Amino acid sequence: MSIKKSPIIENLRKTQMIELLSKEKRLDGRSLIDFRPIIIKVGVIQKSNGSAEVSIGNTKVVAGVKVETGSPFPDTPDQGLLVVNAEFLPFSSALIEPGPPDEDAIEVSRVVDRGIRESQMIDLNALVIETGKLVYCVFVDISILNMDGNIFDAAFLSAVSALLTTTFERKTVKGDGNIEVQKCKLPTRCIPISISSITIGDSILIDPTEEEESVQDSRLTLTFNDEGYLCAGQKGGSMGISREQLFKIVELSKAKAEELRVLVKKVIENAQI
Amino acid sequence: MSIKKSPIIENLRKTQMIELLSKEKRLDGRSLIDFRPIIIKVGVIQKSNGSAEVSIGNTKVVAGVKVETGSPFPDTPDQGLLVVNAEFLPFSSALIEPGPPDEDAIEVSRVVDRGIRESQMIDLNALVIETGKLVYCVFVDISILNMDGNIFDAAFLSAVSALLTTTFERKTVKGDGNIEVQKCKLPTRCIPISISSITIGDSILIDPTEEEESVQDSRLTLTFNDEGYLCAGQKGGSMGISREQLFKIVELSKAKAEELRVLVKKVIENAQI
Amino acid sequence: MSIKKSPIIENLRKTQMIELLSKEKRLDGRSLIDFRPIIIKVGVIQKSNGSAEVSIGNTKVVAGVKVETGSPFPDTPDQGLLVVNAEFLPFSSALIEPGPPDEDAIEVSRVVDRGIRESQMIDLNALVIETGKLVYCVFVDISILNMDGNIFDAAFLSAVSALLTTTFERKTVKGDGNIEVQKCKLPTRCIPISISSITIGDSILIDPTEEEESVQDSRLTLTFNDEGYLCAGQKGGSMGISREQLFKIVELSKAKAEELRVLVKKVIENAQI
Amino acid sequence: MGKLIDENGIRLDGRRWDEIRPITIEIGVIKNADGSAYIEFGKNKIIAAVYGPREAHPKHLALPDKAIVRCRYHMAPFSTEERKSPQPSRREIEISLVLRRAMESAIFLEEYPRSIIDVFVEVLQSDGGSRCASITAVSAALADSGISMRDLVVGCAVGKIDGQIVLDLSDYEDKEGEGDMPVAYMPNLDKIVLLQFDGIFSEEEFKKAIDLAILGNKKVYEILKKALIEKYFSMVDEK
Amino acid sequence: MGKLIDENGIRLDGRRWDEIRPITIEIGVIKNADGSAYIEFGKNKIIAAVYGPREAHPKHLALPDKAIVRCRYHMAPFSTEERKSPQPSRREIEISLVLRRAMESAIFLEEYPRSIIDVFVEVLQSDGGSRCASITAVSAALADSGISMRDLVVGCAVGKIDGQIVLDLSDYEDKEGEGDMPVAYMPNLDKIVLLQFDGIFSEEEFKKAIDLAILGNKKVYEILKKALIEKYFSMVDEK
Amino acid sequence: MGKLIDENGIRLDGRRWDEIRPITIEIGVIKNADGSAYIEFGKNKIIAAVYGPREAHPKHLALPDKAIVRCRYHMAPFSTEERKSPQPSRREIEISLVLRRAMESAIFLEEYPRSIIDVFVEVLQSDGGSRCASITAVSAALADSGISMRDLVVGCAVGKIDGQIVLDLSDYEDKEGEGDMPVAYMPNLDKIVLLQFDGIFSEEEFKKAIDLAILGNKKVYEILKKALIEKYFSMVDEK
């Protein structure tokens, strides 16, 4: 994706990539269904209520959670709010110009939002201070620091890890009218995991690099809850996908999600919040 | 206006148009003071409180009315609100690019707004729920679907027809404190009609097509109430108009307004709301 | 700055300017530390609460003050608000295009704001109507009419002169519950003055023209309160400044500020508000 | 038993699990456009119109080897229960993106180098499944414009209500149900070109949903084909 | 009897029905501009300034056979009773449009192919009739810039208060009266180049209003001519 | 005695008047960028990254004789006590401007005609003195990118608390103190390239503050130099 590469070298790389794929191999030596090394650091931003920096290979993002108070939506007076916002920082790639969030950032925001919301990870009903009047708003802001493919999974992992380590000061009015302030964790119910893959011809590649994405036919991001149920999905890419490929991806992704959930659990346990 | 026409053909058409005008004729065979066929369909958008689709020749617009509640302006605590907004949909012409409403859309919005407001068509004082606190807001949104000249009259007709067929749920607090909900019509007082014409040299043309507008000297949109009084006006075009032409247009337009009002009445009666 | 000047003439002027500087002279005949003629007219906009038009040579600005009521910031419940906003009017220079305020206008706004705020010119605590609920908001809007260098000092002078002549209707709730309306002056404590200078090589020039600014090494705007203390400062220009030059500028500017303060006092006294 | 499906397997609007709502398609409704179509799909009322292929403007957008597609999905302020602000929402921007990708799958972009194809969708009234209805309308508009396509693209959602996978959710079913899955499909090439979902689906349910969506899409395809043929024959008749 | 005109036919500010408010015009107030003027018209205080004809930028705006005119009418935040947001309102955008059209009527655009003429109006203090005062100032600024014009354009409103057609409404008369009609006029060519109105006018009242507006415009024209001549003579004297 | 400095001259965080907070600098943290650096300065956590010199785009921005520098200083929404709106505030726009000017002092712009150098700063966590920490990070990123500079630029603020001039205010000292003065400095050329201040300083205090700021900047310079050398040696070691 870097504009510094010459097109000739890029074409050579592509040819090489396709050749390797026919042998079920990838340019960086991975098998088709392996993730690159994943590093998750939580608690990196002390001023936030929760935070996580996630690297998947050279892709790097950081997410910060802020818990503030606000008014609920009129049609859900008994629920707190969840707001997810992603930004591609202008230094994350040579091809990005400064400006308002474009359609790509909006897609990342909305796909992460749906995955968290539909898995019912956060118990929004437990975030009400006064029904219809005052609730907690959970802002998840994701800054994409360096782009090298599979932004969706990195963004999702960072959001989930940040939420799992979020603490906030909960205010409750006691019987005698006094207000009690208690530091507590965000009420979470599960650890949703998103797995993205691409298809190139008949091959399915989990966790694509940017180079691989540049020749993708289609992309698929699937989110799974703890029980292995699908709770959100989004197709990308500008070519169609067959029913058979789709079903194969679902099976593959479901297994990968289990692997990543184990990793996240380990990180959270070590964090000891 | 289509960018697909060659300039040579366009110039031929113009020459032909001017020649015909000298014989008081037009390219489409109409007399100078005739409207193209007008079709008004009301109740086309069931989710709105009132709606109308209007075609004048190939010009087509749709208006939808929403009645919601809100705060009155501080300086008119005893009046409901009227908000008129027009948008040129990007497919309405080959020459439109997507983007925020430009000066043309703002002019249409404001000319329609003034015609409705100044004719006192809507009894805004009858739209108050609680003086100074809560009133009904009448939103008139006009989407221009296809442009072939005389957008102003099509937009005005659609707005007026939609308002005349608008119903909404009115809430009133009864003596015993209970709230009564009643479906009722919007309180209207008259049927204002706008008539647009252009001048080309000494000729006056009612209801111009886009082709005719492209060679206009000046444009005039006049709005009349039921008694034939003028209640709003707007000159367009980049050339001046003489006092004499102006007076002649007023006389002509006043007569045409009567004709159109009869048409609107018929449509509304048939609608049986 | 005008785009109509030929680059050759501009280069000749620059050469001439540098030569004169070596003799401690300037193109317009001034000494290096003299201001151009300053004209301050107050009370020019009757609809505002206070206003001033200021010319420094060909640089001309007008400031208007509006005092309205609003909510205080949550973290300063016992203070009124001060909002400073500058706009470069599009006719102020041949090089300006219409559009939202750019970084230059924002810099002028913020430098003027800091100078007024940090000198504690306005007693914001005396602008509270009801603690935490309702306070007076002082809006200072500065329109830059014509640019010929040293916009900062012209903007600052206009803002200060407008504020010093501002009157507003203060409402107080009397013991018996009645509201008393009293016309009164804005509660001010001092007359801050900003002095801008530039360096060109070893020379220091007070009150630069646009021509001089176009060859500046660095710019410095310093604001002084009545006691000669520095209360705000901002370096401009794209070259560094030495500690020694900086200290020399502080001394020079402090003396000039005294001169300008005498001028402002005279204008305000004559204004007899 | 359930609140959305009764004991006889009938949904609130009278449909069975594998029935789609009534669809009508009209071709060529926008005179100025190069191609256009109007669809009613349940209570959805949607216009799609196409301009192009035309010269890319500004020129730096143009690609040397193929056309670029721009897509704007927009909802009229009066199209929803509550008045919608005319400014495009994040939802509208995302749908514009997924519609664009779906159409890129179908258009022979290489046939139109250095040009641009503008696709505009206006939702006059919205109901459940509006993005699926939109893509069917876009497909009709593209066919009307004569732009070369590999296949028609149609759209039809599936969903999960009362624990059951059913075809083509209405607005109310979408809101009250357990999952929604809009799918767009190229029937002759047998490829899925748009897929989004939220809700809770087991792997089995997911597979069942996809198969049902393909079935629904084939039904929509028949209706679209019929509308295009009618338009074609009526044009021949007019001659 | 009426609330705006007393029994002697005198309006609240002391004027008769056919009197205009005091006007002063100053030419050349903005040094950097190619032409400029400042007008006080009643309590209106308005600056108009012109740049151009200058090269169109960006270039694709340019027309091969004539100049294009851009116009920005803007009100200072302190110009109104309540502080005005600096962002242009829909009203300001519409007035920019009608002012531009009025000036296009007067300027010999064909003399300046491929160029742009920028007209900027800043209302420092607003009163009734500000668009009419603005166009008079713009005319003066264009004359100051030396751009060729068919005729000067002047502006003066008429209105209806207490049932009577009167010249040049003040802010209060505009607000409390029954109708307002801003008119701009080219006196030598006898053409109306800007006309807007709202209120309730019978056909007779409308015609009377137009004739009175023309009368008022001729008065404004004399004042504008005098200001331009004074500027011209003072320049000669300075030599 | 004072609330910010105790009787032993010790500040709330344990520092003396002339001590700076702990600083760590890491070079090359953003793989895609041409140069990048991460700084922790007190609780500040800031990334700076550089792209360029690269071709100016759009082309009309380019200057024939030198590079232009663009700078964006931005704060992450989670970087502050209260969540910050992602839209750039006026404060962020002003800091972008003063950072750009400071860097223009240092870069040999004439070596890169017709090109553009993009400097991006993201504040992940903010504390007192964030613009000074930022400029140090920018300097490191520029060094990492290999762009020619006259000198490194470093930044360190001074301020006045409890009536005393002290080095490098923390957030709390900035908020509760009497004055803050961010200064950026080129140590080898002995020039101040960024200077802003607010508060109340006598002429003597001002001079004392500047001298202390220069002292602080020299300390920061040593740390920056060390980080660059370490990076250089570790690269050599890796070979």
Side-chain angles (χ1 to χ4, degrees), chain B residues 3-270:
Chain B
I3 55 171
K4 286 163 290 180
K5 289 178 196 149
S6 87
I8 293 165
I9 292 179
E10 278 194 44
N11 278 333
L12 280 172
R13 295 275 293 179
K14 280 186 194 175
T15 313
Q16 201 184 344
M17 198 193 306
I18 306 296
E19 273 177 24
L20 280 169
L21 279 181
S22 66
K23 303 173 204 156
E24 307 223 333
K25 284 187 184 161
R26 296 162 87 162
L27 282 172
D28 55 11
R30 276 186 291 161
S31 87
L32 298 194
I33 60 165
D34 275 348
F35 263 80
R36 291 166 289 176
I38 298 176
I39 301 169
I40 303 175
K41 292 183 203 165
V42 294
V44 293
I45 306 296
Q46 292 75 25
K47 285 200 180 181
S48 69
N49 294 97
S51 60
E53 187 190 280
V54 170
S55 301
I56 304 182
N58 282 333
T59 288
K60 195 192 244 182
V61 310
V62 58
V65 175
K66 285 278 182 187
V67 181
E68 305 193 340
T69 55
S71 305
F73 288 126
D75 53 342
T76 53
D78 55 349
Q79 291 191 4
L81 300 184
L82 170 69
V83 177
V84 178
N85 190 50
E87 196 194 351
F88 287 87
L89 294 187
F91 55 63
S92 63
S93 156
L95 296 179
I96 290 187
E97 297 272 320
D102 67 348
E103 57 178 25
D104 294 317
I106 287 172
E107 190 186 20
V108 172
S109 305
R110 288 178 59 84
V111 168
V112 172
D113 183 296
R114 282 199 291 267
I116 291 169
R117 198 179 295 278
E118 297 298 326
S119 70
Q120 306 197 313
M121 177 189 184
I122 300 171
D123 183 0
L124 294 176
N125 293 106
L127 293 175
V128 177
I129 302 168
E130 197 183 344
T131 302
K133 293 212 171 150
L134 199 66
V135 298
Y136 290 103
C137 309
V138 180
F139 291 95
V140 183
D141 285 286
I142 303 167
S143 297
I144 294 152
L145 302 177
N146 199 68
M147 287 170 68
D148 187 17
N150 200 8
I151 297 301
F152 284 88
D153 291 355
F156 201 84
L157 267 182
S158 72
V160 165
S161 304
L163 287 167
L164 288 170
T165 52
T166 290
T167 58
F168 67 108
E169 301 208 324
R170 181 185 275 280
K171 286 168 192 145
T172 36
V173 183
K174 307 295 293 181
D176 57 3
N178 288 336
I179 289 171
E180 199 187 41
V181 176
Q182 238 183 321
K183 193 175 169 183
C184 62
K185 288 191 183 186
L186 207 62
T188 57
R189 296 185 182 117
C190 67
I191 303 180
I193 299 287
S194 96
I195 301 293
S196 296
S197 54
I198 59 169
T199 63
I200 300 176
D202 292 331
S203 307
I204 295 168
L205 292 79
I206 300 275
D207 179 32
T209 63
E210 191 143 296
E211 216 169 24
E212 289 166 346
E213 286 179 352
S214 72
V215 293
Q216 73 185 12
D217 292 342
S218 67
R219 193 199 74 223
L220 204 72
T221 298
L222 298 171
T223 307
F224 296 87
N225 69 9
D226 287 14
E227 286 85 37
Y229 281 62
L230 295 111
C231 41
Q234 178 94 342
K235 187 193 171 300
S238 293
M239 302 218 356
I241 192 167
S242 70
R243 173 186 175 280
E244 290 67 32
Q245 264 189 322
L246 183 57
F247 290 176
K248 204 168 151 198
I249 290 171
V250 169
E251 280 162 45
L252 272 174
S253 301
K254 192 175 160 181
K256 294 313 278 186
E258 266 315 299
E259 287 178 36
L260 259 65
R261 188 171 295 108
V262 170
L263 174 67
V264 172
K265 273 187 187 156
K266 219 174 284 175
V267 169
I268 303 306
E269 276 160 23
N270 291 339

Side-chain angles (χ1 to χ4, degrees), chain C residues 4 44-47 58 60 64 66 68 85 87 89-94 98 139 141 143 145-147, chain E residues 29-32 34 45 47 49 51 54 72 74 77-83 86 120 122 125-126 171:
Chain C
K4 284 163 292 181
V44 292
I45 306 297
Q46 292 76 26
K47 285 199 179 180
N58 283 333
K60 196 193 243 181
K66 286 276 182 189
E68 304 191 342
N85 190 50
E87 197 195 349
L89 294 187
F91 55 63
S92 63
S93 155
F139 291 95
D141 285 288
S143 297
L145 302 177
N146 199 68
M147 286 170 69
Chain E
V29 295
I30 301 300
K31 294 283 184 296
N32 287 341
D34 295 317
K45 298 187 175 195
I47 297 176
Y51 282 87
R54 54 184 176 183
R72 183 217 198 213
H74 184 255
F78 46 75
S79 65
T80 48
E81 288 299 339
E82 302 278 303
R83 178 177 185 261
F120 301 115
E122 185 78 11
Q125 184 163 277
S126 73
D171 226 359

